[in-house]
């Protein structure tokens, strides 16, 4: 290897990969790369024994899972603030009994001179607003560009969220992920958090507020993120909150974001209903949106809501769409409307979650129209726990004729398929373009003849990847 690549180039490759694998290829690589990227488990004892190694000038990456540290052990981690070489630090401190004192002490990690990426998992540590206030200082790191802060399952309330919003003052932070799920955040806290919109550097923002006490007022406040000048990627999780159609309508204002390209919105287990879905369809007007994920699981959506969401075909730049409509009331009319997505000419990747609905053979037949989508290369249809039988399966087998399709996922578990349906789906192996196929027929009435067809398909299909799930015999 020394005669092929200079040592500096090998170091750059190793830093890009961020793991120790390259150092194990030969003795020379070991000599120039050893201890550069550490992945380890730490408890109070090990931490005290390895403190010198962790702060060694050679170490660039530290990824550690910590157990039973407590406040005393957390103080040992504060020594990392003295490092002059660490670039990336990832610490899993879940259930380490840190409390506010232990968590707050970790704010010294901002002093790591060259640190550009920091990930802290502090879930289930009895952290309240005091700890959150101290952790907000992490964004002051002179080189910190990416910060992932997981405070799930703690006791952070509105005042703590207000302190976290101070991260907006960082001039170098470009990517921020805040997980505040299962805390005590209400509308007032969200109204304070949206002060992050003042950041002129953040272009990737993830905010998880699952299972708090946020209502339509908080959802309306979140729409202010449209004003972030650099924001390109936004993920908002409001699952299991008190959001209704009014909140959904307010969130649609995010379409006016000037730079937004990738948007994920999780409203699962809320009361947005059909009228909320109709409002969300207006996201089609986002001028630069390329990827959209809408999680509307268990939201009381029926055919009219699905019909409205089909209007997303008008999004001229949309190339990737994921719609999760599981556990709703979507039937044939709604599925037929969604099949119109075949006319979304820019769409390359489509995922439809329609499990636990009212999809029948007629709905499955309608979805076959997606084979005509001119640009579609990846398609996933999740139809488990419906009423699709052999006729529906025979129709879906015609997806083999899709002109560009490379990857297909068909989840048809817990339906009404028999041998005839399984045999028909075996024709998917004859696709001229398909390279990857995942087929789930679990908990159907597929017997010997259908299994034989699937076995022949597995042997004869010229696929790079093939995964098949069949019901157990006797089921």
């Amino acid at each position: 290897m020394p005669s092929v690549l200079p040592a500096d180039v090998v170091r750059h490759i190793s830093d890009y990969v961020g793991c120790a694998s390259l150092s194990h290829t030969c003795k020379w690589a070991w000599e120039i790369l050893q201890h550069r990227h550490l992945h380890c488990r730490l408890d109070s004892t090990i931490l005290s024994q390895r403190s010198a190694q962790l702060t060694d000038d050679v170490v660039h990456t530290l990824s550690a899972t910590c157990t039973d540290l407590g406040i005393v052990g957390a103080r040992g981690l504060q020594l990392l603030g003295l490092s002059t070489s660490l670039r990336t630090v990832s610490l899993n401190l879940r259930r380490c009994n840190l409390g506010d004192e232990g968590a707050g002490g970790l704010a010294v990690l901002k002093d790591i001179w060259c640190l550009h990426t920091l990930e802290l998992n502090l879930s289930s540590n009895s952290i309240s607003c005091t700890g959150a206030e101290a952790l907000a200082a992490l964004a002051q790191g002179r080189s910190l560009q990416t910060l992932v802060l997981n405070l799930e399952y703690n006791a952070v309330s509105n005042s703590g969220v207000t302190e976290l919003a101070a991260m907006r003052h960082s001039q170098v932070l470009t990517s921020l992920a805040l997980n505040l799920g299962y805390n005590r955040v209400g509308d007032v806290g969200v109204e304070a958090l949206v002060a992050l919109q003042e950041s002129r550097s953040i272009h990737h923002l993830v905010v998880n507020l699952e299972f708090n006490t946020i209502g339509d007022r908080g959802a309306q406040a979140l729409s202010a993120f449209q004003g972030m000048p650099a924001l390109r990627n936004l993920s908002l999780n409001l699952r299991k909150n008190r959001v209704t159609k009014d909140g959904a309508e307010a969130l649609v204002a995010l379409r006016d974001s000037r730079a937004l390209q990738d948007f994920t919105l999780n409203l699962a287990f809320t009361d947005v209903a059909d009228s909320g879905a109709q409002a969300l369809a207006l996201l089609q007007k986002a001028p630069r949106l390329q990827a959209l994920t809408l999680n509307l699981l268990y939201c009381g959506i029926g055919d009219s809501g699905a019909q409205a969401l089909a209007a997303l075909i008008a999004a001229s730049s949309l190339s990737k769409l994921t719609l999760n409509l599981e556990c709703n009331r979507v039937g044939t009319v709604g599925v037929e409307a969604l099949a119109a997505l075949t006319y979304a000419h820019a769409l390359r990747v489509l995922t439809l979650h329609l499990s636990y609905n009212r999809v029948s053979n007629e709905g499955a037949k309608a979805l076959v129209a997606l084979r005509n989508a001119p640009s579609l290369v990846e398609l996933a249809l999740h139809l488990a726990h419906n009423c699709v039988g052999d006729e529906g399966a025979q129709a879906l087998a015609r997806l083999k004729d899709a002109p560009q399709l490379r990857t297909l996922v068909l989840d048809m578990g817990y339906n009404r398929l028999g041998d005839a349906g399984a045999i028909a789906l075996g024709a998917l192996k004859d696709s001229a373009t398909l390279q990857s196929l995942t087929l789930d027929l679990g908990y159907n009435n597929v017997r010997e003849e259908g299994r034989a067809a699937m076995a022949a398909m597995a042997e004869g299909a010229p696929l790079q990847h093939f995964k098949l799930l069949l019901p157990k015999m006797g089921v």
Side-chain angles (χ1 to χ4, degrees):
M1 183 177 287
S3 62
V4 178
L5 293 174
D8 285 346
V9 173
V10 174
R11 291 190 186 100
H12 282 302
I13 295 173
S14 179
D15 290 344
Y16 179 79
V17 176
C19 68
S21 300
L22 198 58
S23 65
H24 298 292
T25 56
C26 64
K27 181 179 178 181
W28 175 76
W30 173 257
E31 290 174 349
I32 66 169
L33 296 176
Q34 63 174 321
H35 305 310
R36 195 175 184 89
H37 307 289
L38 295 181
H39 298 259
C40 57
R41 300 185 68 88
L42 296 174
D43 57 26
S44 296
T45 302
I46 297 174
L47 184 58
S48 62
Q49 294 171 347
R50 300 187 65 176
S51 58
Q53 179 189 10
L54 297 178
T55 56
D56 192 293
D57 288 344
V58 175
V59 182
H60 281 53
T61 301
L62 172 62
S63 178
T65 298
C66 306
T67 56
D68 301 321
L69 283 186
I71 296 175
V72 175
R75 290 176 184 148
L77 289 174
Q78 295 176 26
L79 293 174
L80 296 175
L82 302 175
S83 171
T84 57
S85 61
L86 275 171
R87 269 72 165 174
T88 300
V89 174
S90 177
L91 299 177
N92 185 350
L93 294 156
R94 181 173 181 266
R95 293 183 177 176
C96 278
N97 301 312
L98 300 184
D100 286 332
E101 182 179 350
L106 295 173
V108 301
L109 297 177
K110 73 179 189 304
D111 298 329
I112 301 177
W113 189 252
C114 298
L115 188 67
H116 61 69
T117 301
L118 175 61
E119 300 179 3
L120 293 179
N121 182 352
L122 296 169
S123 63
S124 304
N125 271 289
S126 301
I127 299 170
S128 68
C129 299
T130 303
E133 180 180 1
L135 289 166
L138 289 168
Q140 298 173 14
R142 64 182 299 276
S143 304
L144 192 65
Q145 299 174 16
T146 299
L147 174 60
V148 178
L149 186 57
N150 185 349
L151 291 170
E152 197 173 36
Y153 293 100
N154 280 290
V156 180
S157 59
N158 293 332
S159 58
V161 177
T162 301
E163 298 300 333
L164 290 171
M167 291 180 174
R168 67 187 183 276
H169 297 304
S170 170
Q171 300 298 310
V172 295
L173 193 65
T174 59
S175 179
L176 174 63
L178 290 177
N179 187 344
L180 293 164
Y182 295 84
N183 276 274
R184 301 173 183 175
V185 184
D187 291 334
V188 173
V190 175
E191 289 172 336
L193 185 63
V194 295
L196 288 170
Q197 66 172 304
E198 298 173 13
S199 169
R200 305 194 66 82
S201 60
I202 295 176
H203 62 72
H204 181 94
L205 178 62
V206 177
V207 180
N208 182 359
L209 296 165
E210 179 176 351
F211 205 80
N212 280 281
T213 57
I214 299 164
D216 292 333
R217 177 180 158 191
Q220 183 175 4
L222 289 169
S223 67
F225 283 139
Q226 64 173 293
M228 295 182 73
L231 190 63
R232 297 198 299 268
N233 302 81
L234 175 63
S235 177
L236 297 178
N237 185 354
L238 290 167
R239 178 186 174 103
K240 294 184 178 179
N241 276 282
R242 302 171 182 175
V243 181
T244 70
K245 64 178 181 64
D246 293 331
E249 291 173 359
L251 287 165
V252 171
L254 289 164
R255 70 173 187 250
D256 297 325
S257 173
R258 290 179 294 175
L260 191 62
Q261 299 175 5
D262 190 326
F263 182 34
T264 296
L265 179 60
N266 189 342
L267 291 171
F269 292 94
T270 62
D271 296 322
V272 298
D274 284 333
S275 53
Q278 291 163 1
L280 292 170
L282 295 175
L283 289 169
Q284 61 174 286
K285 297 182 179 180
R288 297 187 179 181
L289 195 62
Q290 299 176 12
L292 174 63
T293 297
L294 291 178
N295 188 346
L296 300 173
L297 167 73
Y298 219 110
C299 286
I301 294 172
D303 286 336
S304 61
Q307 287 176 303
L309 290 169
L312 290 168
I313 62 174
S316 59
S317 59
L318 194 64
S319 62
K320 182 177 181 181
L321 174 62
T322 299
L323 286 179
N324 188 348
L325 295 171
E326 287 188 6
C327 302
N328 282 290
R329 298 177 283 101
V330 180
T332 300
V333 174
V335 176
E336 287 176 345
L338 291 171
L341 289 168
T342 190
Y343 300 111
H345 295 292
L347 197 61
R348 295 178 57 81
V349 180
L350 174 62
T351 301
L352 293 178
H353 293 271
L354 292 166
S355 298
Y356 291 95
N357 274 279
R358 301 173 181 175
V359 184
S360 63
N361 284 329
E362 296 306 313
K365 291 176 183 178
L367 289 171
V368 178
L370 292 170
R371 75 184 189 279
N372 298 318
S375 304
L376 199 63
V377 296
E378 294 185 22
L379 174 63
L381 297 176
H382 297 271
L383 302 172
H385 294 271
N386 279 291
C387 303
V388 181
D390 289 336
E391 287 185 36
Q394 289 164 351
L396 289 170
R398 293 160 57 195
L399 289 170
K400 68 181 178 61
D401 299 326
Q404 304 291 337
L405 199 61
R406 302 289 188 272
T407 300
L408 175 62
V409 176
L410 276 181
D411 178 5
M412 302 182 69
Y414 293 89
N415 274 280
R416 300 176 180 177
L417 274 66
D419 287 342
I423 292 170
L425 289 170
L428 289 169
K429 72 178 185 298
D430 300 324
S431 169
T433 60
L434 207 58
Q435 298 175 358
S436 176
L437 173 62
T438 300
L439 188 57
D440 186 349
L441 302 180
Y443 292 90
N444 280 283
N445 193 32
V446 180
R447 301 300 177 179
E448 287 80 359
E449 191 175 353
R451 289 171 178 276
M454 290 293 101
M457 180 183 184
E459 292 177 1
L463 299 169
Q464 297 179 11
H465 174 268
F466 179 49
K467 182 178 181 180
L468 173 65
L469 297 175
L470 287 171
K472 298 178 181 179
M473 290 301 293
V475 177

